[in-house]
Every structure is written in structure tokens, then in C-alpha cells.
């Protein structure tokens, strides 16, 4: 597990992903903004992090 955690700190920014999301916030209903996209290089799984102006955050994978 320790080696796996170290991989997180070695993460590199490899591209910029355009925010085409129309995901509404469950709290206030405003459009959430895509702030992070993380790709697991071993599995290819993609996780997106969205944030709303009201402060709510959502991880979507």
C-alpha cells in the first residue's frame, strides 16, 4: 500500500481536459465545474472531480 500511495505524489499533468459538463449541484442546483481528472495508469480508470460555486465537491468515476 505504501508504494501505491507514493505514486499519487508522483502524478504528472499530461493534458488539459475541457469542461463540457452540465452536472448540476445537488445542494443549490448551479452548474458544477470540472476541476480535476485523474487517470489510474495501471487500470485505466478515470475519476473526475467537480466543484460548485457553493463549495460542494463531487467525485465521479
Amino acid at each position: 500500500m505504501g508504494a501505491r500511495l507514493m505514486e499519487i505524489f508522483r502524478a504528472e499533468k499530461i493534458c488539459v481536459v475541457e469542461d463540457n459538463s452540465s452536472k448540476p449541484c445537488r445542494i443549490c442546483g448551479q452548474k458544477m465545474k470540472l476541476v480535476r481528472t485523474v487517470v489510474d495508469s495501471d487500470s485505466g480508470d478515470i475519476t473526475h472531480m467537480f466543484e460548485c460555486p457553493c463549495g460542494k465537491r463531487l467525485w465521479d468515476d
Side-chain angles (χ1 to χ4, degrees):
M1 180 75 172
R4 184 99 170 126
L5 287 176
M6 287 304 294
E7 289 181 27
I8 293 172
F9 295 106
R10 292 185 12 216
E12 297 177 42
K13 183 175 181 177
I14 57 171
C15 71
V16 176
V17 177
E18 186 176 335
D19 182 4
N20 291 326
S21 171
S22 60
K23 187 175 291 291
C25 177
R26 291 185 234 165
I27 304 299
C28 69
Q30 293 187 63
K31 180 183 180 268
M32 298 186 84
K33 178 182 175 185
L34 178 66
V35 292
R36 296 272 187 284
T37 300
V38 180
V39 179
D40 183 329
S41 60
D42 293 333
S43 68
D45 292 340
I46 299 172
T47 302
H48 302 285
M49 183 182 143
F50 298 90
E51 187 173 54
C52 180
C54 75
K56 177 71 176 169
R57 289 186 175 176
L58 172 69
W59 291 92
D60 184 16
D61 51 10

